[in-house]
């Protein structure tokens, strides 16, 4: 425990409400002390090497020394574990000491909030690497993802972290975008419901979850990172907004991060109608809005709407950005100067400060007995670092088992001609081909610690067990004979980065190996990285949906070999697969499945795991049809007036199983409801195959006539139904008329009377039953308090 400062101060009195204490503290603070709570400091940021945030090193010029900042206080500590390889035990001790230093340096003794990335696991050396969010979407299981987030948050709190910068609620609009791997999918209902599970899991551990990127980032022009967003208000309201609306309202989330992009010329970081009007005044959000890294400075350097740092600070603060991350640039001296000059009312500083201090009060940081140590630790415990190591475990057996479970649930069997599953005791000759077959990093997304930071420190071990696909295949099929040929590099470049050095002869070697084998397992896809250092990830956007480098050429050659090919995609976005879409013996897709992804893939190939994943993004039919998602109106599909057919080869929601399911007894309890009524849609699902499996029942809304153009199908519910052999379940969706709401001609959200179809489906392209329902009564205007989810029940049927 640090020495208590101002022990008798009113703001120390825990008998008062947090709001009363915060007001008392604000009354004692100078302008410099108030402003100091509104920024973070990135102490561990490296001054050399490649960026891990946009324009990181450009923004580091003119940085203020930490010793000059701390006497005023400090709002946040940026990524004490996630900036360089840090032994978690050493990190715990170091963070505790840093917090003591922060508290000791300011006259109030207030520490900082420590934040970290946690997109697919705590982004720290030695922590569990779970599958990426696109794999979360493939599970169609919010409860499972809630468990993942709970484990992630538990690890973060165990070492003294307070805030996690996840989840991403951007809806995929164009999968060429490099950050598609970070999204949950191309449907706002799926994104919102899965993200809701994640937020509840993370917040249940005490970690502040942070929704990002608010709003529109994933719709940038030509899918280029940070490029402008040009979309109408209706698309913005009906596609991009709903996931945030749901999670803010129902998730108990305590922080939101603004997007980098501008929408129709207004950068999110300076959009008062968005950050204050919609988020706070309409939805009632009371937490903090934090800047995406350097986002406030970008108002001056990239967007050109601020002529000075003072202007940038004032614009962002008035819009509603409370905290500048990752480090102080505009919210330090420039913000003070803007207030002192009279250009900015100090009330805006106090508004943001109030939100920050209320969160610190929730963490006990205003209490006299606050400790810099995580719960259960004493200062004496830190004297023996080996003993600390024995207590700090960020990749436990429980974590790995959960990572395996999610990976297994997320693998999608896209195509199968009966070749799969393979017998585990098979003695056949298998050619394992492809640049990712024996690559540990193939399992990981760009925000995993090994890919995000570890690659900048090649001298440091990877820190976790990370079996490759090849290693996992050898373990899964011990009697098989394996021949291995990489064929090509992932990106078509040689070791020196020169495309001319790409080994074209590798394709022939791989084809020869294929001709001599009984089966080919082609492991292809992406290598995650940052800002062009990979084929997927932040700043790694794609020009087309063709597999990177010469991987498509390799796949085509393998198909032509005549040997059955199992195309195994380990990727961050869906790619067109050329002739393999029709001619491969099987296609298996895993979206960066994490540290247990290799065994999960092998388990699907052997049948040890019955695949149940569903595509959260459509697989395109050809490489040049983007942007396109299933959420399209009639003219967004194939027509006689365009020679380009955007129909996906494998649609959103598609996925196969090794068992079979029968759907029957489709019905609604009524055929007509009012525009404020509710209808229940039901069916029975029976496992008619020879093994246990999980069926995913999807419910889509079709609105054939509306006052504005609507998508042909829109997901409004889903249920993952586990069934033993012969077992039957009754599945019901309680659908409120509110779920048919959309943004009308006057931009209010309305429920219109008329004919609807409620479509029970195995995917957006496989409609099993279409049930008509009529809405009667007046047009209803609805708001954020409307019903946002269908209520699902799945019960075993009794004969």
């Amino acid at each position: 425990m640090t020495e208590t400062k101002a022990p008798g101060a009113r703001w120390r009195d825990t008998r008062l409400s947090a709001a009363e204490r915060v007001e008392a503290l604000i009354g004692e603070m100078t302008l410099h002390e108030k402003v100091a709570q509104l920024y973070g400091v990135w102490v561990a940021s490296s001054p050399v090497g490649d960026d891990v945030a946009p324009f990181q090193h450009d923004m580091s010029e003119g940085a203020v020394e930490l010793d000059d900042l701390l006497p005023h206080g400090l709002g946040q500590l940026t990524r004490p574990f996630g900036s360089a390889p840090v032994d978690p035990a050493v990190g715990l001790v170091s963070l505790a000491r840093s917090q003591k230093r922060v508290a000791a340096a300011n006259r109030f003794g207030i520490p900082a909030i420590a934040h970290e990335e946690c997109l697919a696991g705590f982004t720290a050396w030695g922590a569990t690497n779970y599958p990426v969010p696109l794999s979360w979407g493939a599970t169609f299981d919010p409860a499972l993802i809630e468990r993942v987030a709970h484990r992630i948050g538990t690890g973060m709190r165990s070492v003294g972290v307070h805030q996690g910068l996840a989840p991403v609620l951007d809806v995929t609009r164009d999968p060429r975008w490099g950050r598609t791997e970070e999204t949950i999918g191309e449907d706002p209902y799926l994104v919102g419901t899965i993200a809701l599970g994640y937020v509840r899991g993370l917040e249940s551990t005490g970690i502040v979850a942070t929704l990002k990127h608010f709003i529109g980032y994933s719709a940038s022009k030509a899918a280029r990172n940070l490029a402008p967003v040009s979309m109408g208000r209706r698309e913005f309201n009906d596609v991009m907004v709903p996931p945030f609306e749901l999670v803010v309202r129902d998730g108990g989330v305590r922080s939101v991060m603004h997007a980098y992009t501008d929408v129709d010329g207004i950068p999110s970081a300076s959009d008062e109608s968005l950050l204050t009007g919609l988020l706070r005044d309409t939805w009632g959000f009371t937490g903090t809005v934090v800047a995406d890294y350097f986002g406030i400075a970008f108002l001056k350097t990239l967007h050109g709407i601020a002529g000075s740092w003072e202007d940038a600070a004032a614009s962002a603060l008035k819009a509603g950005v409370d905290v500048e991350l990752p480090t102080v640039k505009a919210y330090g001296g420039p913000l003070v100067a803007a207030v002192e000059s009279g250009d900015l009312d100090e009330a805006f500083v106090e508004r943001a400060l109030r939100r920050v201090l209320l969160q610190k009060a929730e963490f006990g940081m205003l209490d006299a007995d606050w400790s810099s140590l995580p719960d259960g630790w004493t200062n004496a415990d830190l004297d023996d670092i080996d003993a600390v190591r024995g207590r700090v475990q960020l990749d436990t057996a429980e974590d790995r088992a959960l990572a395996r479970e999610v990976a297994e649930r997320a693998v999608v069997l896209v195509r199968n001609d009966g070749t799969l599953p393979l017998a585990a005791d098979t003695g056949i000759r298998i050619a394992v081909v492809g640049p990712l077959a024996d690559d540990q990093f193939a399992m990981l997304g760009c925000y995993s610690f090994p890919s995000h930071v570890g690659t900048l420190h090649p001298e440091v071990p990877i820190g976790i067990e990370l079996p490759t696909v090849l290693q996992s295949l050898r373990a899964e099929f011990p009697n098989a004979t394996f021949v291995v040929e990489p064929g090509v590099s992932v990106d078509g470049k040689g070791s020196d980065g020169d495309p001319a050095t790409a080994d074209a002869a590798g394709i022939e070697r791989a084809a020869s190996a294929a001709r001599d084998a009984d089966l080919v397992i082609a492991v292809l896809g992406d290598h995650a990285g940052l800002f062009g250092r990979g084929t997927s990830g932040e700043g790694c956007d794609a020009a087309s949906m063709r597999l990177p480098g010469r991987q498509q050429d390799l796949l085509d050659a393998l198909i032509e070999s005549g040997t059955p090919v199992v195309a195994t995609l380990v990727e961050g976005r869906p790619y067109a697969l050329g002739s393999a879409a029709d001619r491969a013996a099987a296609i298996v897709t895993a979206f960066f499945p994490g540290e247990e992804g290799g065994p999960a893939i092998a388990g699907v190939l052997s049948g040890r795991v019955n695949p149940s994943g569903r595509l959260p993004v459509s697989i395109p039919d050809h490489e040049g049809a983007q942007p396109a998602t299933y959420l399209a109106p009639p003219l967004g599909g194939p027509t006689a007036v365009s020679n380009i057919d955007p129909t996906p080869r494998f649609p959103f929601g598609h996925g196969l199983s090794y068992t079979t399911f029968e759907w029957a007894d489709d019905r609604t309890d009524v055929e007509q409801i009012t525009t404020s009524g509710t209808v229940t849609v039901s069916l029975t699902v029976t496992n008619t195959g020879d093994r246990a499996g999980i069926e995913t029942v999807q419910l889509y809304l079709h609105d054939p006539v509306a006052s504005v153009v609507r998508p042909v199908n829109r997901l409004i519910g889903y249920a993952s139904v586990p069934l033993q052999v012969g077992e039957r379940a009754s599945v019901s969706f309680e659908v409120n008329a509110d779920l048919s709401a959309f943004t009308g001609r006057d931009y209010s959200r309305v429920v219109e009377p008329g004919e609807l179809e409620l479509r029970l489906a195995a995917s957006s392209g496989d409609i099993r039953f279409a049930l008509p329902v009529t809405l009667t009564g007046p047009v209803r205007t609805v708001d954020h308090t409307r019903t946002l989810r269908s209520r699902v029940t799945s019960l075993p049927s009794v004969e």
Side-chain angles (χ1 to χ4, degrees):
M1 187 183 303
T2 57
E3 178 184 353
T4 301
K5 296 186 177 183
R10 177 174 169 80
W11 57 270
R12 289 286 194 197
D13 189 347
T14 57
R15 295 170 298 180
L16 300 177
S17 69
E20 290 174 309
R21 296 173 67 191
V22 165
E23 291 304 319
L25 177 56
I26 291 174
E28 296 187 23
M29 300 176 92
T30 66
L31 175 60
H32 282 85
E33 289 168 334
K34 293 173 183 177
V35 167
Q37 294 295 322
L38 307 186
Y39 54 71
V41 170
W42 201 353
V43 176
S45 175
S46 173
V48 297
D50 292 322
D51 289 353
V52 296
F55 303 98
Q56 174 184 340
H57 291 100
D58 294 344
M59 291 292 105
S60 298
E61 295 178 4
V64 182
E65 291 296 325
L66 184 61
D67 287 341
D68 295 331
L69 294 173
L70 290 186
H72 300 300
L74 182 62
Q76 294 218 8
L77 284 167
T78 293
R79 295 175 63 176
F81 290 86
S83 301
V86 176
D87 179 315
V90 174
L92 182 154
V93 175
S94 177
L95 177 56
R97 291 172 178 169
S98 294
Q99 290 283 36
K100 285 184 178 180
R101 180 185 176 192
V102 171
N106 71 81
R107 67 190 181 101
F108 300 107
I110 301 174
I113 287 176
H115 77 260
E116 291 285 355
E117 297 283 0
C118 58
L119 186 70
F122 180 11
T123 305
W125 186 84
T128 303
N129 284 260
Y130 290 94
V132 298
L134 207 54
S135 275
W136 307 351
T139 70
F140 276 69
D141 191 339
L144 177 60
I145 304 310
E146 182 172 346
R147 290 168 52 205
V148 169
H150 183 84
R151 290 302 308 165
I152 292 171
T154 298
M156 296 170 75
R157 287 299 293 137
S158 75
V159 294
V161 176
H162 307 96
Q163 182 168 358
L165 304 186
V168 169
L169 273 67
D170 299 301
V171 178
T172 296
R173 300 302 285 160
D174 184 338
R176 295 176 299 172
W177 190 49
R179 303 189 79 167
T180 295
E181 65 177 69
E182 299 179 45
T183 73
I184 293 168
E186 67 182 49
D187 179 86
Y189 188 90
L190 179 67
V191 171
T193 50
I194 294 290
L196 180 62
Y198 182 94
V199 166
R200 286 175 168 173
L202 200 66
E203 289 278 358
S204 71
T205 67
I207 292 289
V208 173
T210 309
L211 307 185
K212 57 187 190 182
H213 306 85
F214 197 76
I215 301 176
Y217 186 24
S218 58
S220 55
K221 285 185 179 179
R224 295 177 58 247
N225 192 36
L226 271 69
V229 174
S230 295
M231 69 165 54
R233 285 170 57 189
R234 190 165 288 105
E235 180 183 357
F236 185 84
N237 290 340
D238 289 348
V239 178
M240 310 306 285
V241 168
F244 290 95
E245 184 177 32
L246 171 63
V247 180
V248 167
R249 195 190 74 177
D250 295 350
V253 69
R254 288 181 285 168
S255 193
V256 169
M257 175 181 282
H258 75 73
Y260 280 130
T261 42
D262 72 87
V263 177
D264 195 25
I266 308 299
S268 297
S270 65
D271 191 344
E272 185 175 2
S273 67
L274 183 68
L275 301 179
T276 298
L278 179 64
L279 180 62
R280 296 189 185 279
D281 296 343
T282 300
W283 294 349
F285 177 70
T286 59
T288 56
V289 173
V290 300
D292 204 345
Y293 282 16
F294 308 113
I296 297 172
F298 290 166
L299 296 177
K300 175 180 182 290
T301 62
L302 299 183
H303 292 294
I305 68 157
S308 65
W309 299 125
E310 289 85 352
D311 291 345
S315 180
L317 193 67
K318 286 192 288 187
V321 182
D322 302 312
V323 181
E324 181 177 30
L325 298 179
T327 201
V328 58
K329 188 72 175 182
Y331 272 18
L335 180 53
V336 171
V339 174
E340 291 180 337
S341 68
D343 292 335
L344 179 67
D345 192 327
E346 191 170 345
F348 286 107
V349 173
E350 293 185 352
R351 182 182 69 173
L353 175 62
R354 191 169 291 112
R355 297 163 182 161
V356 169
L357 291 180
L358 281 170
Q359 283 195 349
K360 290 195 171 186
E362 290 176 359
F363 283 112
M365 292 179 173
L366 306 188
D367 297 350
D369 61 352
W370 170 82
S371 171
S372 64
L373 298 173
D375 290 344
W377 291 83
T378 67
N379 287 316
D381 294 332
L382 307 188
D383 294 338
D384 185 348
I385 194 63
D386 289 330
V388 176
R389 286 193 181 96
R391 292 178 59 182
V392 178
Q393 300 292 328
L394 299 181
D395 189 31
T396 65
E398 181 181 355
D399 292 319
R400 293 194 70 90
L402 183 55
R404 173 82 69 96
E405 181 180 352
V406 179
E408 291 176 349
R409 287 287 307 279
V411 175
V412 183
L413 179 60
V414 176
R415 171 181 165 81
N416 186 24
D417 68 359
T419 297
L420 297 181
L422 306 173
D425 60 355
T426 184
I428 64 173
R429 182 181 178 88
I430 302 175
V432 181
V433 177
L436 299 175
D438 201 25
D439 185 344
Q440 287 182 302
F441 286 88
M443 302 294 110
L444 306 177
C446 78
Y447 269 81
S448 69
F449 186 87
S451 295
H452 198 77
V453 177
T455 54
L456 306 179
H457 302 271
E459 74 284 358
V460 178
I462 201 166
I464 55 173
E465 293 181 24
L466 196 57
T468 67
V469 173
L470 177 61
Q471 291 169 338
S472 302
L473 291 172
R474 292 188 189 279
E476 194 79 22
F477 304 104
N479 298 328
T481 299
F482 291 93
V483 178
V484 182
E485 281 289 349
V488 296
S489 63
V490 174
D491 57 6
K493 299 177 181 179
S495 58
D496 60 359
D498 182 358
T501 65
D503 188 4
I507 295 177
E508 178 51 40
R509 289 195 300 271
S512 177
R515 287 189 289 269
D516 292 338
D518 300 306
L519 180 74
V520 178
I521 298 176
V523 188
L524 309 170
D526 282 311
H527 213 286
L530 293 166
F531 311 116
R533 303 194 297 272
T535 61
S536 175
E538 186 173 358
C540 297
D541 309 313
S544 78
M545 300 311 297
R546 182 180 176 86
L547 279 164
R550 298 198 61 188
Q551 293 184 78
Q552 186 64 56
D553 296 336
L554 173 62
L555 182 55
D556 290 342
L558 297 174
I559 294 292
E560 292 299 327
S561 73
T563 302
V565 176
V566 176
T568 304
L569 287 305
V570 185
E571 56 193 358
R573 63 167 67 83
Y575 289 102
L577 298 173
S579 62
D582 296 307
R583 296 176 59 191
I587 300 171
V588 173
T589 292
F591 297 107
F592 290 141
E595 64 184 42
E596 288 291 325
I601 291 169
V604 166
L605 298 188
S606 75
R608 175 176 53 80
V609 175
N610 189 1
S612 62
R614 300 293 185 265
L615 290 175
V617 283
S618 308
I619 295 178
D621 186 54
H622 51 96
E623 61 194 59
Q626 295 303 318
T629 75
Y630 96 93
L631 282 172
L635 286 175
T639 70
V641 295
S642 173
N643 64 317
I644 296 178
D645 184 351
T647 304
R649 185 62 185 82
F650 300 100
F652 171 85
H654 170 76
L656 304 178
S657 172
Y658 294 144
T659 192
T660 55
F661 299 96
E662 179 184 86
W663 294 24
D665 302 328
D666 55 298
R667 60 200 182 277
T668 58
D669 63 339
V670 293
E671 296 180 354
Q672 181 175 294
I673 60 173
T674 68
T675 51
S676 60
T678 298
V679 58
T680 299
V681 185
S682 304
L683 79 161
T684 58
V685 181
T686 305
N687 184 344
T688 55
D690 59 3
R691 64 178 69 200
I694 299 174
E695 178 67 306
T696 300
V697 179
Q698 300 160 45
L699 179 64
Y700 293 87
L701 176 75
H702 172 59
D703 190 349
V705 180
S707 59
V708 301
V709 175
R710 302 296 297 139
V712 174
N713 286 316
R714 178 169 62 87
L715 186 72
I716 60 168
Y718 58 85
S720 293
V721 187
L723 294 170
Q724 297 298 315
V725 174
E727 187 178 9
R728 177 182 301 170
S730 176
V731 181
S732 297
F733 299 88
E734 186 179 287
V735 180
N736 190 280
D738 289 357
L739 290 169
S740 70
F742 57 86
T743 302
R745 291 199 171 209
D746 64 355
Y747 295 106
S748 62
R749 198 176 296 275
V750 295
V751 177
E752 292 184 343
E755 305 295 326
L756 300 175
E757 277 187 3
L758 298 176
R759 296 177 165 182
L760 293 161
S763 76
S764 61
D766 183 5
I767 308 300
R768 302 290 177 85
F769 306 116
L771 304 175
V773 173
T774 301
L775 301 190
T776 63
V779 174
R780 283 180 61 233
T781 299
V782 295
D783 59 17
H784 65 285
T785 63
R786 71 192 185 281
T787 299
L788 297 176
R789 289 176 288 158
S790 55
R791 185 169 176 265
V792 182
T793 56
S794 176
L795 300 172
S797 292
V798 179
E799 295 294 341

